[in-house]
Amino acid sequence: MSGKGNYDMTVYIALLVWTILCSPLENTKMTCKNMTIISGKTLYLLVTFIPIWFIMAFRGLGVGTDTLANASYFVSAATSPSLSYLVSDGIWNAGISIISYMIGLISTDIEVYMIWSSIIISIGFAIFIYRTSNKVWLSTFLFLTLNLFFISLNASRQFIAISIAINAFVFLYHNMHSGVGWSLFLIAAWIHTSIFSFIPALMGIWLVKRCQSYTKLYFMTTIFAILFAVSLMGIATIFSSIFPHYAIYTGGASRDNLIENTGGGKIIIEYLFFLFILTVYFINKKMSNCKVNNTITDSFIPGAIFCIITGIIFASNTMMNRVTLPYQCLFISLIPYTYTMMQQRIRYIFMGIIMIGLIGYYYLWAQGNLGNVLPYYMWI
């Protein structure tokens, strides 16, 4: 792979080490004359997400399976003769095209796509973590080690939409009638229609406000998720029979799915880890005799359950794995909260396990070159 600077895996390892080394910053703050200028949370997110953005924005066109295709699409839309040409097939299908055209008024260089898409993704996730996490360093660590970062290098257009949709979730959690929240959600769906599959998570906000029992909340969400997944199985089977060339994505033949497609691979392990987190959350709440109290983390629960059940059932289905991506993002804030619920002694054990396990997971993902993230090189 050609490039002006070839760094293989070094850049990914350095980025992960940097996010861990900067973790003490969360407990500090910048002050001037006894006035806080920048909080520790803000400072940490600045010093970690700027490098994340830099690595995303200046990666070569060959870093990420779909990077070249997405960047080329940007150039095509940016150099279109007019907006009316772009919306000729319907304005609802032209979201990313119209945005590309507007940005193209500034520059139509192919590398510009990486810069502006990385700005939206990085800022979107940083804001989401700031607003929802009680340990921003751990959430940033999880953004990397749950491999959402690596996937964003591949599915950048979807992650532009996801970064907007998860922030729409926060607005709608505070007020289900929020104009800003629904506008952000529709913009996200306009950019990538897969975001409509995130509606069950928004429905979960409504459900949490009407459930007082965690047992009832878990039970109702589980039943709904199973029924939804079973229905989709039939639709997916029919779809792949009509369009056989998509069977690689629905039948487990894609190399991005299970290790040797045996059902015991990396994706199943990830969802079992999520199941463990939700189980710990449930047990802690029940042992404390807590009722559902409509916190942001409680509002994550229905979406998290939906993610696990749908993900396990469709573990060998690349299309459905992409549908669960916005749901997986909820765990980057849910896991830190679950950690703080634990007793002090158990916390150390839990942290040790997830640090070792997820660092290994991060390394294996990169080493396996899933999504063509290697070798990393820059276009500058």
Side-chain angles (χ1 to χ4, degrees), residues 88-102:
S88 57
D89 292 330
I91 193 169
W92 185 248
N93 298 318
I96 194 70
S97 299
I98 293 174
I99 294 171
S100 297
Y101 181 85
M102 300 303 291

Side-chain angles (χ1 to χ4, degrees), residues 19-40:
T19 61
I20 296 172
L21 290 178
C22 290
S23 59
L25 290 176
E26 183 174 355
N27 299 318
T28 64
K29 58 184 177 181
M30 293 182 65
T31 61
C32 180
K33 297 180 179 179
N34 297 323
M35 293 182 61
T36 300
I37 301 174
I38 301 178
S39 68

Side-chain angles (χ1 to χ4, degrees), residues 204-221 291-294 298 302:
I205 298 173
W206 178 88
L207 180 62
V208 165
K209 292 180 178 180
R210 285 156 180 80
C211 275
Q212 293 190 347
S213 165
Y214 282 100
T215 302
K216 183 179 179 181
L217 178 63
Y218 272 63
F219 177 77
M220 291 179 65
T221 307
K291 291 184 178 181
V292 177
N293 55 8
N294 192 29
D298 281 350

Side-chain angles (χ1 to χ4, degrees), residues 258-309:
L258 306 176
I259 297 173
E260 297 178 353
N261 300 305
T262 60
K266 59 185 176 299
I267 286 179
I268 286 288
I269 293 173
E270 181 175 280
Y271 287 120
L272 290 178
F273 171 62
F274 290 159
L275 178 60
F276 168 74
I277 294 298
L278 276 190
T279 302
V280 172
Y281 187 95
F282 177 80
I283 291 173
N284 271 278
K285 292 294 186 180
K286 295 298 289 185
M287 289 181 64
S288 302
N289 294 317
C290 294
K291 291 184 178 181
V292 177
N293 55 8
N294 192 29
T295 61
I296 187 71
T297 46
D298 281 350
S299 294
F300 289 157
I301 297 301
I305 293 173
F306 184 87
C307 172
I308 293 167
I309 292 174

